């Protein structure tokens, strides 16, 4: 899986609690992404990073923040989880931009009760 | 922004038959069109992609066709096998500038022995 590890793989949390998901890569790729996958919506981009400490918002960024302090790690934080954030979250990496292929991790299934 | 529609949402075929999945896109600036296969419990994996300077691309039993005038592209799988059963996603993005892939909603393909 292109050297991408997501942790945890599964998490159940309560509404209003903070949650942090981690993505770790061993490929030294510059670009990293967080997507969420929901039935009927496909994959939607939450945030992305184009370098250490360089991040930007995607299509569905409200309620999420990210940080990238090292090339290999990209963290996704839900400051105060809501039931609408119950989803499967995927991290992806790419070597370049434009038509450079995305490589995905195996996902984190998050349930907010 | 870009909008990608994908049909059908589910597709059942007999082993050995062909399967076709179709996508349309809205942004004429898009010129990179990848297809991803997602198996249960795993992240999407790139199986083939096409750029707008090419009308068709083949890789063994898989082919993708692109009609830029009509803004649609299709995935063709011939001689289907049970291991082809998965969810398939199409996507579109401009190949220059920052990659912001927009995904279709997915097609669940079931190949029966």
């Amino acid at each position: 899986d292109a050297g991408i590890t997501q942790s945890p793989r599964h998490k159940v949390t309560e509404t209003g609690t903070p949650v942090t998901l981690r993505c770790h890569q061993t490929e030294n790729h510059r670009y990293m992404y967080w997507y969420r996958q929901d039935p009927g919506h496909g994959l939607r981009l939450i945030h992305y990073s184009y370098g250490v400490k360089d991040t930007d918002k995607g299509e569905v960024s409200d309620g999420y923040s990210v940080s990238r302090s090292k090339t290999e790690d990209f963290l996704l934080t839900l400051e105060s989880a809501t039931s609408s954030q119950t989803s499967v979250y995927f991290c992806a990496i790419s070597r370049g931009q434009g038509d450079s292929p995305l490589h995905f991790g195996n996902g984190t299934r998050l349930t907010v009760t | 922004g870009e909008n990608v529609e994908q049909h059908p949402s589910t597709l059942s075929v007999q082993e050995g038959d062909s399967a076709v999945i179709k996508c349309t896109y809205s942004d004429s600036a898009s010129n990179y069109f990848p297809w991803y296969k997602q198996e249960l419990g795993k992240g999407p994996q790139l199986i083939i992609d096409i750029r707008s300077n090419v009308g068709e691309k083949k890789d063994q039993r898989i082919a993708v066709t692109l009609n830029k005038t009509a803004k649609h592209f299709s995935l063709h799988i011939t001689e289907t096998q049970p291991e082809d059963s998965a969810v398939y996603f199409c996507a579109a993005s401009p190949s220059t500038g920052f990659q912001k892939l927009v995904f279709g909603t997915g097609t669940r393909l079931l190949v029966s022995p």
Side-chain angles (χ1 to χ4, degrees):
Chain A
D1 299 314
I4 306 169
T5 303
Q6 291 187 232
S7 59
R9 290 297 314 276
H10 302 271
K11 186 169 182 66
V12 180
T13 192
E14 294 184 349
T15 299
T17 59
V19 177
T20 296
L21 308 183
R22 180 178 184 243
C23 178
H24 178 79
Q25 61 144 330
T26 59
E27 304 297 318
N28 200 36
H29 283 2
R30 177 180 175 186
Y31 299 90
M32 299 186 75
Y33 314 77
W34 278 106
Y35 284 86
R36 60 178 290 174
Q37 183 176 37
D38 304 288
H41 291 278
L43 291 142
R44 292 179 292 174
L45 182 64
I46 305 171
H47 281 281
Y48 60 93
S49 170
Y50 47 96
V52 174
K53 297 186 180 179
D54 292 324
T55 65
D56 206 347
K57 297 178 179 180
E59 176 188 357
V60 289
S61 60
D62 287 350
Y64 302 94
S65 62
V66 291
S67 65
R68 192 170 178 199
S69 58
K70 298 185 289 185
T71 298
E72 57 266 36
D73 290 326
F74 192 31
L75 303 180
L76 177 70
T77 297
L78 290 66
E79 301 292 345
S80 178
T82 68
S83 58
S84 64
Q85 293 176 312
T86 292
S87 186
V88 181
Y89 292 86
F90 287 98
C91 173
I93 64 174
S94 68
R95 186 182 303 278
Q97 56 183 312
D99 59 359
S100 184
L102 288 183
H103 303 280
F104 285 86
N106 283 330
T108 293
R109 182 173 295 275
L110 176 67
T111 302
V112 183
T113 60
Chain B
E2 177 64 275
N3 180 51
V4 178
E5 295 190 357
Q6 182 172 349
H7 300 281
S9 56
T10 59
L11 180 59
S12 294
V13 300
Q14 292 292 122
E15 182 177 0
D17 288 348
S18 295
V20 180
I21 302 170
K22 299 181 179 181
C23 289
T24 60
Y25 62 99
S26 61
D27 189 348
S28 57
S30 290
N31 49 15
Y32 174 59
F33 307 93
W35 285 88
Y36 287 82
K37 175 183 180 182
Q38 185 178 25
E39 298 176 340
L40 195 61
K42 296 193 172 184
Q45 183 174 18
L46 179 71
I47 56 172
I48 195 167
D49 57 13
I50 192 168
R51 292 160 180 82
S52 62
N53 58 343
V54 175
E56 181 176 358
K57 183 176 179 180
K58 295 182 74 172
D59 183 3
Q60 300 182 334
R61 297 185 297 108
I62 293 173
V64 57
T65 58
L66 171 65
N67 183 327
K68 282 222 79 178
T69 302
K71 295 183 190 169
H72 65 72
F73 56 113
S74 300
L75 178 70
H76 304 254
I77 306 174
T78 59
E79 301 173 22
T80 53
Q81 301 168 2
E83 50 265 40
D84 294 328
S85 296
V87 179
Y88 292 81
F89 291 95
C90 63
S93 87
S95 67
T96 57
F98 187 77
Q99 179 184 71
K100 289 186 178 179
L101 271 179
V102 176
F103 286 83
T105 51
T107 296
R108 183 173 300 278
L109 174 64
L110 176 61
V111 181
S112 302

